[in-house]
Amino acid sequence: MPETKLTAMANTVKTDFPIRKSKKQKEHFRAWLGENLERLGYRPRVESSGRLVKSCNVVVGDPDRAQVLLTAHYDTCAVLPVPNFITPRNLPMLVLYQLLMGILFLLPMVLADVLLLLLWPDIPGWLNFAAMYGTLLILLWLMLAGKANRSNVNDNTSGVMTLLEIAQALPEELRDRVCFVFFDNEEKGLLGSAAFAKAHKKARKETLVLNFDCVSDGDHLHLFPGKAVKRDKAAVERLRRAFQGRGAKTVQVPEGMGFYPSDQKNFQWGVGLCALRKKPVIGYYMGKIHTGRDKIMEEENLLLFRDGVLNFLASDEP
């Protein structure tokens, strides 16, 4: 019977490897991860790809033979002054917030332009142009490669911990059905999962992918299936039967509008799993991520997702 509290291995990610952003931090985490997975009887390996930006995905199992890929990104984002606010089931609110962020993002460029014109009215046009877009490049760099967010419990320490909970609870007779993948560089534009999908075309086109990203903050657990999964009514129903809520925790598999940007987007049969909060007007939402307020770990969420995966794999359907 699965444990009713998080294991020591999963908690070690939060306590000993809270930041996984620099090359050295990632190397240390992958070494620890590999040693502990080997101790459980798995055979992890690292698949590296990329020239300008190197991605190192940790793969556990055979992605070309597995029935299900269980995935989560392990890299840490840069800290930002405002959260990446997501409303997966409220498209107008989602678009409005993104437009607002775009305006705030462009504001430093405008201020740099105004300041230069005040200080140097006769500034050459090319230099003014270079200063504006130089400011833009600096902002982009800060977003992607800036100071690591030291508070990243939800995004995505929680996803990594969920995979470890599943790996420890998974019976040996079910292990051949899955392949675990710990993606690198999700925060830089889904680069790790894109490289993995390119290297494993069968998995990209045919294999169900359950991707855990931001699962520890909120009572409303969601599974967002992609178009291929939505069209397969049997697959949707199987997910609904396997993943069940408890008490105040609910689990939903929306068939309507549901936009959740994460690594599952690189796979035809991808499903994004996350936890959301809910408010009037806004509806279901995710806040705090990418800021110092990302500190909430609702352990029950991870255990519910773990149990859902075990139920799903143990079902009689292929």
Side-chain angles (χ1 to χ4, degrees), residues 81-191:
V82 293
N84 183 13
F85 187 78
I86 304 173
T87 55
R89 299 177 65 175
N90 186 336
L91 182 58
M93 185 66 69
L94 181 67
V95 172
L96 181 63
Y97 187 78
Q98 294 305 315
L99 285 174
L100 177 61
M101 289 302 99
I103 293 172
L104 290 176
F105 188 75
L106 294 175
L107 188 59
M109 292 178 60
V110 176
L111 292 175
D113 181 45
V114 171
L115 183 61
L116 276 173
L117 289 174
L118 288 174
L119 295 176
W120 190 357
D122 298 325
I123 185 174
W126 67 268
L127 185 56
N128 190 25
F129 179 87
M132 287 180 61
Y133 283 90
T135 303
L136 177 62
L137 290 175
I138 291 172
L139 290 172
L140 287 171
W141 181 87
L142 288 173
M143 287 181 64
L144 299 175
K147 183 180 178 181
N149 185 14
R150 302 185 67 86
S151 302
N152 54 73
V153 171
N154 194 28
D155 183 19
N156 188 32
T157 296
S158 65
V160 173
M161 292 171 66
T162 301
L163 290 196
L164 289 177
E165 288 294 329
I166 297 168
Q168 292 174 92
L170 190 61
E172 289 196 19
E173 62 269 21
L174 296 179
R175 290 187 177 186
D176 288 341
R177 296 190 183 187
V178 307
C179 175
F180 295 91
V181 189
F182 298 80
F183 289 128
D184 193 7
N185 288 330
E186 187 269 354
E187 299 291 356
K188 293 179 180 177
L190 315 185
L191 297 182

Side-chain angles (χ1 to χ4, degrees), residues 30-31 33-34 43-49 54-60 74 184:
R30 289 195 301 269
L33 181 64
R43 293 184 178 180
R45 66 185 186 279
V46 176
E47 292 187 359
S48 300
S49 59
K54 188 175 182 180
S55 295
C56 297
N57 299 321
V58 180
V59 182
V60 189
Y74 69 88
D184 193 7

Side-chain angles (χ1 to χ4, degrees), residues 100-314:
L100 177 61
M101 289 302 99
I103 293 172
L104 290 176
F105 188 75
L106 294 175
L107 188 59
M109 292 178 60
V110 176
L111 292 175
D113 181 45
V114 171
L115 183 61
L116 276 173
L117 289 174
L118 288 174
L119 295 176
W120 190 357
D122 298 325
I123 185 174
W126 67 268
L127 185 56
N128 190 25
F129 179 87
M132 287 180 61
Y133 283 90
T135 303
L136 177 62
L137 290 175
I138 291 172
L139 290 172
L140 287 171
W141 181 87
L142 288 173
M143 287 181 64
L144 299 175
K147 183 180 178 181
N149 185 14
R150 302 185 67 86
S151 302
N152 54 73
V153 171
N154 194 28
D155 183 19
N156 188 32
T157 296
S158 65
V160 173
M161 292 171 66
T162 301
L163 290 196
L164 289 177
E165 288 294 329
I166 297 168
Q168 292 174 92
L170 190 61
E172 289 196 19
E173 62 269 21
L174 296 179
R175 290 187 177 186
D176 288 341
R177 296 190 183 187
V178 307
C179 175
F180 295 91
V181 189
F182 298 80
F183 289 128
D184 193 7
N185 288 330
E186 187 269 354
E187 299 291 356
K188 293 179 180 177
L190 315 185
L191 297 182
S193 58
F196 180 88
K198 183 178 180 181
H200 300 281
K201 293 181 174 59
K202 183 176 183 294
R204 174 169 59 87
K205 295 180 180 180
E206 302 176 17
T207 308
L208 181 68
V209 177
L210 301 181
N211 181 58
F212 299 84
D213 191 356
C214 302
V215 298
S216 71
D217 185 2
D219 288 337
H220 305 282
L221 281 58
H222 278 66
L223 290 79
F224 287 105
K227 291 181 180 179
V229 181
K230 285 182 180 179
R231 287 193 294 265
D232 189 334
K233 301 301 182 182
V236 172
E237 184 57 31
R238 186 183 173 196
L239 289 169
R240 286 202 174 108
R241 289 199 307 269
F243 291 84
Q244 297 292 320
R246 283 196 292 264
K249 302 290 184 180
T250 67
V251 180
Q252 300 184 48
V253 187
E255 292 189 67
M257 187 269 172
F259 176 76
Y260 191 63
S262 190
D263 287 306
Q264 81 279 352
K265 292 294 184 181
N266 282 317
F267 301 88
Q268 187 170 337
W269 287 81
V271 180
L273 294 88
C274 67
L276 301 172
R277 292 177 174 268
K278 188 178 182 182
K279 283 186 177 181
V281 182
I282 294 175
Y284 297 101
Y285 73 97
M286 179 184 300
K288 301 178 184 175
I289 58 173
H290 294 194
T291 71
R293 298 173 61 208
D294 182 2
K295 298 179 179 181
I296 297 178
M297 170 59 67
E298 298 180 24
E299 297 187 0
E300 181 70 7
N301 291 4
L302 281 61
L303 300 176
L304 283 173
F305 276 133
R306 177 204 63 189
D307 293 347
V309 169
L310 296 178
N311 292 337
F312 186 82
L313 295 172

